[in-house]
Amino acid sequence: MTGETVSSTGGFGTERVRRARFAVAAVFCVHGAVTGSFATRIPWIQDHADVSAGQLGLALAFPALGASLAMPLAGAISHRLGARTALRGLLALWTLSLTLPSLAPNVYGLCAALFVFGATAGMSDVAMNALGVEVENRLGKSIMSSLHGMWSVGALIGSAAGTVAAHLGGDARLHHLIAALVLTALGLAFCQGVLDLQSSPDEEPPPRFSLPPKSALVIGAIGFCGVFAEGASLDWSAVYLRDELGSSAGVAAASTTAFALTMAVARLVGDRVVDRFGAVRTVRVGGVAATLGGLLVVLAPHAALAMAGFGLIGLGVAVVVPLAFAAAGRSGPNPSQAIAGVATITYTSGLIAPSAIGGIADATSLVFSFGLVTLLTFGLVLGAGVLRPASRATAKPASESRTAGSGQVS
């Protein structure tokens, strides 16, 4: 493009890549807002579909199932359509699928709706993370943590709007229709600013379905530990404070909110820490913090110390998933396939964590369950080395096998 230099930005001008960073961040925010909008209306959806707590628990496993099965398709779609067009279509499917769960008349309809909901979530998740890694490689500095921080911000915004709608007694079908239309329009507008990467004619298309590459399995193991600790703390911290430490309902609920806020803030500032200390050292120190937090939770005699422990867990695991995605995107010739593999593993971890904690607690106690969480966070200390990136100077952006397409970038 005229007037812009081309260097490590892989054929795109530096200013264009910087603008693409903000566009991708906005896409992450929109993606998170859909999740937040849905989560706050689950009680309404449960009542409308007339499902029991057990049936709801079964139905809520279907988003992760749909995501795990559909995520490998994202790479093939991006290869065929180009990164920008693929993200635009997949994100629109995700935002519009917000309308489906509230329309479900029964448990079968709810399971089907949530399967589609999860499938579109997973595919758009892979597409936007792949583009985030591309931008990070071209800028030569860490941005993935702040991108996931923007996802958390979007989830908080969606949750706040949903809380207001629920407080006013609004019909979730109308609420989700309005939210879906607004978020779809915003998503399409923001997607216009992302990099328009196209696969070269001689590039081998990725398989539609395949097992995760070995590199993704190793990196995914680190992501598994981080997401398991995150999911366990998010879903069980309030129950832990209430049942194990006798806290009031208000204090117990506050622990969950505080944990989510800690995660969001840590991700927003995490890139500066990563750029200064490196991914490996950041995750190791974070693993130490999370392990100390787990020990504090297990040994806490009262609620204040347990809440501090959960805060340390959130602080320690906040950047693990963003750095796992970034490492996956640099681990082989096909970033989307590697990212899909890591995403599948982390989604699976998020799926099994709440039920695993509950099952272990039934057999033993919640204290023992969080002893297991503490062991997994220590795994971050031991395994952080797999996130070591290639040299920024020698790392090649995937655009060396992709082009910006005719006419460069609009």
Side-chain angles (χ1 to χ4, degrees):
M1 291 193 299
T2 305
E4 292 185 341
T5 60
V6 177
S7 56
S8 64
T9 55
F12 294 94
T14 302
E15 187 59 34
R16 176 67 187 87
V17 176
R18 287 174 179 166
R19 292 198 302 270
R21 173 185 179 177
F22 293 107
V24 173
V27 167
F28 270 77
C29 189
V30 168
H31 195 285
V34 177
T35 299
S37 299
F38 164 72
T40 53
R41 305 313 305 271
I42 289 176
W44 189 98
I45 293 170
Q46 179 183 9
D47 291 342
H48 176 71
D50 192 24
V51 298
S52 66
Q55 290 173 327
L56 178 63
L58 172 66
L60 289 175
F62 275 77
L65 178 62
S68 298
L69 292 176
M71 279 188 290
L73 292 171
I77 294 171
S78 294
H79 176 87
R80 182 179 180 85
L81 301 178
R84 181 195 289 172
T85 301
L87 179 61
R88 185 186 290 130
L90 293 174
L91 186 65
L93 288 175
W94 164 233
T95 53
L96 291 173
S97 72
L98 176 60
T99 61
L100 298 179
S102 60
L103 298 175
N106 51 45
V107 65
Y108 304 107
L110 184 58
C111 289
L114 290 177
F115 182 89
V116 175
F117 188 68
T120 56
M123 289 189 292
S124 56
D125 190 291
V126 170
M128 72 185 188
N129 273 286
L131 272 168
V133 170
E134 291 287 349
V135 173
E136 177 174 277
N137 289 341
R138 286 167 171 77
L139 289 176
K141 62 180 181 179
S142 177
I143 67 166
M144 291 302 292
S145 179
S146 62
L147 292 182
H148 283 256
M150 287 301 297
W151 188 95
S152 297
V153 169
L156 288 172
I157 293 173
S159 297
T163 299
V164 171
H167 180 71
L168 296 175
D171 189 310
R173 291 170 293 188
L174 178 60
H175 164 213
H176 283 167
L177 175 62
I178 295 172
L181 293 176
V182 171
L183 292 172
T184 300
L186 290 174
L188 292 174
F190 295 142
C191 284
Q192 189 61 28
V194 305
L195 299 179
D196 189 15
L197 302 173
Q198 303 287 338
S199 298
S200 61
D202 58 346
E203 183 180 347
E204 189 72 20
R208 287 182 173 85
F209 289 100
S210 64
L211 293 174
K214 290 182 180 179
S215 60
L217 293 175
V218 176
I219 296 168
I222 294 296
F224 181 96
C225 293
V227 172
F228 194 100
E230 177 184 347
S233 299
L234 193 61
D235 286 0
W236 286 94
S237 57
V239 178
Y240 189 95
L241 264 69
R242 184 194 65 192
D243 292 355
E244 298 295 329
L245 299 175
S247 301
S248 67
V251 171
S255 69
T256 303
T257 302
F259 178 84
L261 286 173
T262 300
M263 290 280 296
V265 172
R267 282 177 170 172
L268 288 173
V269 303
D271 289 322
R272 300 176 191 173
V273 178
V274 173
D275 281 331
R276 179 162 183 174
F277 299 105
V280 174
R281 189 181 301 176
T282 299
V283 170
R284 280 188 177 145
V285 173
V288 170
T291 301
L292 291 175
L295 289 173
L296 199 56
V297 168
V298 171
L299 300 175
H302 51 76
L305 284 178
M307 290 179 70
F310 282 118
L312 280 174
I313 294 174
L315 185 67
V317 305
V319 300
V320 172
V321 171
L323 291 179
F325 279 126
R330 293 187 294 263
S331 66
N334 194 318
S336 292
Q337 185 180 359
I339 289 172
V342 170
T344 301
I345 294 169
T346 56
Y347 266 71
T348 301
S349 178
L351 168 63
I352 69 173
S355 57
I357 292 296
I360 294 170
D362 282 341
T364 56
S365 68
L366 267 178
V367 173
F368 187 88
S369 294
F370 276 94
L372 173 62
V373 170
T374 304
L375 287 177
L376 289 175
T377 58
F378 188 67
L380 299 175
V381 181
L382 300 178
V386 303
L387 301 179
R388 183 171 285 108
S391 169
R392 295 286 192 189
T394 60
K396 295 180 180 181
S399 63
E400 294 201 5
S401 63
R402 291 166 146 185
T403 63
S406 58
Q408 294 289 327
V409 189
S410 59

